[in-house]
Amino acid sequence: MTTRRALLTATLFAAPTSLLLSEPARAALPTVDMEALLKAAQWDPVKLDTGITAGAGASVLQVEKALVAKGLLAASYADGHYGNRTVAAYKAWQESLGYSGIGANGIPGPASLAALATNRFTVVRPLAPGAKVAFRGVTINSRTRAMLLAAEGKVGFTFVMEQGSYNPGGDVTSAGTHDGGGVVDLDVVALTSSQRTAAATALRQVGFAAWVRSPAMGNWDWHIHAVAISDTDLGPQAQKQVGAYYEGRNGLANNAVDDGPKVTKVTWEEYQRSLA
């Protein structure tokens, strides 16, 4: 009996704190909806005001409170709006965990969010970009690949890859948008105007912020620039383009009105649920 009691005591003290919580204690923790959180993290910083993204305020607030407790965010900025101060604070949190580069981009990733959640909140509707994969001569992640294939299924033709993701410094005209994950350029020189529009429409329908780019817009050939909304590996410039898309802008430096196809703006996960 003594040996069994000693073994049980040693096991309990060796267990992580989160495992020692009773079921009622775990159930009492607030929840953070990662999907809503990511939407706010990419949209809120480009807003002209401190408006709260619909459905995201409570989740953002829980993350901000945790950042305040870590000494990374002033309490006055814990307001449910994932603005630039919250981006900087979350970036500092990621760096404290040893992340750098795209890993410390201020956007909650699955591992950093789980670490911040310990004994504070539980994460629901988690998502991740998946592993890097080779795809038609470029590098993307598995979430982006699934999105591209779904969009191809809608248009009935195969996309030609011009530039992939994780390509820092690969094309100076891209202004750093391809430094992280979730971003692709498609070569559409050989497509008709209607095919270009159809492709951009399909890409938007499955969760990309996508625009047809013409030679008149910059030093490039006809192509489609597409950014996977809510990809946690997005670089800072690509994050801003997602926010611009939600704000009805074109994602370029001139911040002109979006002239692309009008569709309901969705994430990949929202699109998948619509098929159920």
Side-chain angles (χ1 to χ4, degrees):
M1 180 66 71
T2 301
T3 302
R4 290 180 60 190
R5 183 178 294 113
L7 179 60
L8 176 60
T9 301
T11 301
L12 286 174
F13 279 104
T17 305
S18 60
L19 297 181
L20 297 178
L21 292 172
S22 66
E23 287 298 331
R26 280 198 293 271
L29 290 176
T31 61
V32 165
D33 183 331
M34 189 172 180
E35 286 188 28
L37 178 68
L38 289 173
K39 184 179 292 187
Q42 295 171 18
W43 189 355
D44 290 359
V46 307
K47 293 177 180 176
L48 297 179
D49 55 24
T50 56
I52 294 174
T53 295
S59 294
V60 172
L61 185 59
Q62 289 302 324
V63 168
E64 289 175 327
K65 286 180 177 179
L67 293 171
V68 170
K70 297 289 184 182
L72 301 173
L73 182 68
S76 59
Y77 291 107
D79 56 5
H81 172 81
Y82 204 111
N84 290 316
R85 298 278 184 164
T86 304
V87 172
Y90 202 91
K91 175 180 171 66
W93 167 244
Q94 291 167 321
E95 290 173 339
S96 76
L97 297 175
Y99 295 106
S100 61
I102 296 302
N105 60 2
I107 295 180
S112 63
L113 186 60
L116 188 64
T118 303
N119 296 332
R120 293 185 178 277
F121 54 81
T122 57
V123 179
V124 299
R125 297 207 296 185
L127 61 86
K132 294 180 183 179
V133 294
F135 184 74
R136 299 176 190 166
V138 302
T139 299
I140 56 177
N141 60 50
S142 58
R143 180 176 182 266
T144 303
R145 178 179 61 185
M147 294 171 69
L148 288 170
L149 293 174
E152 281 185 344
K154 289 179 171 292
V155 297
F157 55 81
T158 301
F159 296 145
V160 177
M161 307 302 296
E162 183 176 283
Q163 185 178 183
S165 309
Y166 308 104
N167 189 33
D171 185 342
V172 294
T173 66
S174 297
T177 56
H178 292 258
D179 287 3
V183 185
V184 297
D185 284 348
L186 308 181
D187 184 342
V188 298
V189 172
L191 299 184
T192 65
S193 176
S194 61
Q195 286 176 319
R196 291 167 187 160
T197 299
T201 300
L203 289 163
R204 290 185 173 198
Q205 288 173 334
V206 304
F208 284 100
W211 300 272
V212 178
R213 304 299 198 203
S214 73
M217 298 175 179
N219 184 27
W220 48 59
D221 291 326
W222 282 99
H223 69 282
I224 290 179
H225 180 70
V227 185
I229 299 170
S230 295
D231 189 302
T232 60
D233 280 353
L234 291 180
Q237 297 307 314
Q239 294 174 36
K240 293 177 182 177
Q241 288 187 316
V242 170
Y245 175 66
Y246 274 117
E247 287 290 288
R249 317 310 291 182
N250 67 357
L252 292 173
N254 63 16
N255 199 37
V257 174
D258 181 12
D259 62 354
K262 307 303 180 186
V263 304
T264 300
K265 295 179 175 69
V266 298
T267 66
W268 170 238
E269 289 71 29
E270 289 169 338
Y271 168 71
Q272 289 179 296
R273 283 196 291 273
S274 74
L275 301 178

